[in-house]
């Protein structure tokens, strides 16, 4: 479902004498439907970078990223937009929302973008918010004033409200207590059993051990320092 | 014999005005620019109407001049005398006997015939002027038939007053094409504009001539749920008893006593004469 | 869907030797929002005005998918055609609401004008639609007969949006739609624009100098400098992984709150 091959990336900082910073060389990985693969490696090794490249948020200098039938590398903006809408979900570490939008609508957004009837979309949003223990009184409020843990759960709700065939998770259990962590792990298990391909970054080793089938160490793709 | 050329204007000027009139008749409701001349009366006193009449009169014509329906106001008398002096034409107060009628702000009550010409005095010819001050823009709107703004004006009236408040100079659509200002006639007169006579409109200060050939379709603008009504005071004339003519309200004493009389003086006197004859 | 809604090719506008904008090409599909960012003098407003038909470009074509006749170059259209297009299928939201409103006409009249311009003749219906649209832009029904001169800046801007969208256009041009508004008011407006774009399946081209606005509203982004497009792509990619020197400078200059 997700196949990365020979992926290479540099950053060129034009405003610092065009310094070229290589960050990844010939990265490869393969995730099948129903699998969850963890990216491991030291902080700064390139885990988030690789995830962002898979999502199309960062450009690659060389290589391919296949999500189903679409190669993200070289894809048009339109194709990536529709890929993100229908196929590839991403739960990042930060919640970025338009101020003033109610939590319920933030979570229902991916469904509404797919044309799902708004009342059904909101119902499903409410279901998953309940699952993640976000109290009802918060559903009408904008999540911008929530605590870190609450924002994280809203983020996760938005990432799981629609059944993406492929999902990217960046630290999904950070800032969560034990109860909510197990809810999230349960959501991941459910996604796996319905056939989703998942790539995740988990600092929490036990969480990683529980849901991930394999680990890939991204340090293997780090550029050689001479 | 008068020292003036017939009807005051020189022949070249008359040709220019007649060309504008013909163009106006060929494009009903379209405002034709013309080179308005200096006349021996100030702007705002009917110079447009006078120039159109001057270009249209022939020595055999019989002229009637009315101002707000009356033959005996200062302005009507002045203009009538002007043409008596410079054209030497016959004059009359009887609508039925006139071949050319110059009018300010009214259409005669008597139905006009195919052999008659009605000349209107027009102050502001552009119906869109109050909402769109730019002449360049209004010309474009007429050319492109963009008249949405006209209905905005009527919409505003209804939202403010509960009804279309325009009571005179009520805009009309001519032959389904041009929107036209009929000059400040009361809206009561609008339906009369579908008539057998030729109608010519002259605006001297604004330098425009427009025209309606006989039997032209003239429809007053309105909304489906707020249709046009040709309304007048709910009264009969206190002098001749007419129920269907446009009335002037006249204060007769210091206590606020008032009577309503026909604004069309010829119409009223004819009816009174007829009543006297029948009584005799 | 086999063709874009808008296909812009090689637009250029010169002022003597000075470049207003040059060599700009892109396509836009239904439901897409394109942001054009740049600093003052970058040519972004010139480009917008050339595409929208307010300025005549010196070169280029603007193909639009008219419902009746397929893809047509709007620059070659007759004036009546183009004016009709800008009253029905296109909309233009100006930076200053007073450029896009009739200040001496009531709010209801402003919203109803486009309807009346395309033949609406039932007062009750027109008023009902105006009320509906005022509600959608969060202006109270009680203000329908007030003039825009009595409105705040944010309200005027929302009224401008209602006036433009009432005929259900498919393409909206916006020139700094949140410029000059208070920050809290901007948030409300952005939220409104986002939901309207999604509900109505609109395509939009938004010119702004504010990167936060494009991040929230635009799917795709073009960065302009000195009349040229220096970088284009997915909004989040251009902002998070800028490739061109100028884009990198622009992104790093944004103050973090």
């Amino acid at each position: 479902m997700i196949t990365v091959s020979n992926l290479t990336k540099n950053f060129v900082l034009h405003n610092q004498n065009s310094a070229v910073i290589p960050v990844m060389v010939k990265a490869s990985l393969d995730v099948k439907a129903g699998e969850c693969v963890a990216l491991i490696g030291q902080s700064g090794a390139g885990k988030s970078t690789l995830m962002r490249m898979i999502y199309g948020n960062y450009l690659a200098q060389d290589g391919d990223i296949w999500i189903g039938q679409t190669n993200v590398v070289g894809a048009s903006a339109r194709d990536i937009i529709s890929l993100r809408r229908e196929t590839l979900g991403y739960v990042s570490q930060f919640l970025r929302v338009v101020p003033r939008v109610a939590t319920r609508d933030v979570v229902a957004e991916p469904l509404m973008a797919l044309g799902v009837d708004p009342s059904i979309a909101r119902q499903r949003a409410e279901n998953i918010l309940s699952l993640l223990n976000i109290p009802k009184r918060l559903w009408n409020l904008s999540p911008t004033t929530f605590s870190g843990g609450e924002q994280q759960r809203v983020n996760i709700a938005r990432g799981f409200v629609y059944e993406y065939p492929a999902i990217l998770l960046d630290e999904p259990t950070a800032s969560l207590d034990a109860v909510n962590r197990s809810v999230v792990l349960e959501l991941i298990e459910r996604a796996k059993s319905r056939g989703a391909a998942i790539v995740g970054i988990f600092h929490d080793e036990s969480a990683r051990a529980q849901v991930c089938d394999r680990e890939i160490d991204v340090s293997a793709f780090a550029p050689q320092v001479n | 014999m008068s020292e003036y050329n017939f009807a005051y204007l020189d022949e070249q000027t008359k040709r220019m005005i007649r060309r504008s009139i013909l163009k106006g008749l060929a494009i009903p409701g379209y405002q034709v620019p013309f080179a308005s001349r200096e006349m021996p009366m100030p702007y705002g006193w009917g110079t447009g109407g006078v120039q159109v009449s001057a270009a249209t009169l022939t020595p055999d014509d019989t002229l009637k001049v009315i101002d707000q329906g009356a033959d005996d106001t200062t302005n009507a008398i002045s203009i009538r005398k002007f043409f008596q002096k410079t054209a030497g034409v016959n004059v009359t107060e009887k609508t039925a006997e006139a071949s050319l009628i110059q009018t300010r702000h009214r259409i005669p009550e008597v139905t006009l015939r195919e052999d008659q010409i009605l000349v209107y005095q027009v102050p502001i010819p552009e119906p869109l002027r109050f909402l769109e001050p730019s002449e360049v823009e209004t010309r474009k709107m007429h050319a492109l038939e963009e008249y949405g703004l006209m209905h905005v004006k009527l919409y505003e009236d209804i939202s403010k007053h509960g009804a279309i408040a325009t009571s005179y100079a009520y805009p009309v659509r001519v032959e389904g094409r041009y929107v036209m200002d009929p000059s400040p006639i009361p809206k009561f007169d609008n339906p009369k504009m579908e008539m057998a006579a030729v109608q010519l409109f002259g605006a001297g200060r604004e330098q425009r001539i427009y025209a309606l050939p006989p039997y032209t379709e003239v429809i007053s603008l309105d909304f489906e749920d707020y249709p046009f009504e040709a309304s007048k005071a709910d009264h009969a004339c206190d002098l001749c008893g007419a129920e269907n003519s446009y009335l002037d309200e006249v204060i007769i004493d210091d206590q606020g006593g008032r009577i309503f009389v026909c604004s069309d003086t010829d119409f009223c006197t004819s009816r009174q004469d007829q009543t006297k004859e029948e009584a005799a | 869907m086999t063709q874009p809604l808008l296909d812009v090719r090689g637009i250029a506008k010169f002022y003597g030797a000075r470049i207003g904008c040059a060599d700009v090409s892109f396509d836009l599909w239904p439901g897409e929002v394109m942001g054009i960012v740049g600093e003052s003098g970058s040519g972004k407003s010139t480009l917008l005005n050339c595409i929208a038909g307010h300025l005549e470009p010196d070169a280029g074509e603007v193909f639009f998918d008219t419902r009746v006749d397929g893809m047509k170059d709007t620059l070659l259209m007759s004036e009546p055609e183009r004016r009709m297009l800008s009253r029905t299928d296109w909309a233009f939201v100006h930076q200053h609401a007073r450029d896009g409103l009739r200040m001496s006409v009531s709010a209801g009249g402003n919203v109803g004008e486009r309807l009346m311009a395309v033949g609406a003749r039932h007062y009750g219906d027109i008023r009902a639609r105006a009320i509906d649209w005022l509600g959608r832009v969060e202006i109270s029904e009680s203000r329908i007969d007030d003039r825009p001169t009595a409105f705040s800046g944010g309200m005027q801007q929302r009224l401008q949006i209602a006036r433009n969208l009432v005929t259900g256009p498919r393409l909206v041009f916006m020139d700094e739609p949140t410029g000059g508004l208070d920050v809290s008011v901007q948030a409300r407006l952005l939220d409104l624009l986002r939901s309207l774009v999604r509900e109505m399946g609109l395509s939009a081209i938004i010119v702004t100098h504010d990167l936060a606005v494009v991040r929230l509203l635009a799917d795709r982004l073009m960065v302009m400098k000195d009349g040229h497009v220096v970088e284009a792509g997915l909004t989040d990619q251009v902002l998070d992984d800028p490739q061109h020197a100028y884009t990198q400078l622009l992104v790093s200059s944004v103050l973090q709150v």
Side-chain angles (χ1 to χ4, degrees), chain B residues 137 140 146 156 224-225, chain C residues 83 87 106 121-124:
Chain B
E137 189 56 29
K140 262 201 198 147
E146 289 182 6
E156 293 288 285
E224 287 165 10
D225 47 342
Chain C
R83 279 168 81 118
R87 270 206 304 278
S106 70
R121 290 291 178 265
H122 191 278
Y123 175 83

Side-chain angles (χ1 to χ4, degrees), chain B residues 187-262:
Chain B
K187 66 177 179 177
F188 176 78
D189 282 345
N190 276 24
K192 299 193 184 77
M193 293 181 81
E194 291 189 346
M195 61 165 74
V198 168
Q199 296 168 84
L200 305 177
F201 297 79
R205 178 185 52 212
E206 297 296 314
Q207 311 196 45
R208 298 282 184 275
I209 285 173
Y210 44 105
L212 298 175
Y215 308 115
T216 300
E217 177 192 80
V218 177
I219 297 183
S220 301
L221 300 183
D222 60 10
F223 284 101
E224 287 165 10
D225 47 342
Y226 284 83
F228 170 77
E229 281 168 22
S231 52
K232 71 166 193 76
D234 196 12
H235 243 271
C237 172
D238 287 317
L239 294 182
C240 75
E243 308 225 308
N244 297 318
S245 76
Y246 191 72
L247 304 172
D248 287 333
E249 190 178 348
V250 181
I251 313 280
I252 51 173
D253 56 38
D254 287 338
Q255 281 75 48
R258 61 198 65 208
I259 56 170
F260 287 85
V261 298
C262 293

Side-chain angles (χ1 to χ4, degrees), chain C residues 39 209-212 215 239 247-257:
Chain C
E39 297 175 310
H209 63 273
D210 188 341
L211 296 183
R215 197 186 267 283
L239 294 178
T247 317
Q248 291 182 355
L249 182 64
L250 205 60
V251 170
S252 61
S253 309
V254 174
L255 300 175
Q256 300 296 332
V257 177

Side-chain angles (χ1 to χ4, degrees), chain B residues 131-132 137 140-141 144 146-149 151-152 154-156 158-160 173 222-226, chain C residues 79-80 83 87 102 104-106 108-109 113 116-117 120-127 144-145 147:
Chain B
L131 269 178
E132 179 51 73
E137 189 56 29
K140 262 201 198 147
M141 288 162 92
L144 301 176
E146 289 182 6
Y147 291 127
L149 203 51
H151 275 89
V152 171
L154 301 180
Y155 169 96
E156 293 288 285
I158 299 173
S159 69
K160 261 189 254 188
R173 188 128 194 205
D222 60 10
F223 284 101
E224 287 165 10
D225 47 342
Y226 284 83
Chain C
E79 180 143 16
R83 279 168 81 118
R87 270 206 304 278
R102 292 201 189 270
S104 58
V105 170
S106 70
E113 181 177 347
M116 291 183 254
R121 290 291 178 265
H122 191 278
Y123 175 83
D125 288 348
I126 295 166
R127 196 172 170 83
I144 186 174
D145 296 321
R147 300 241 174 100

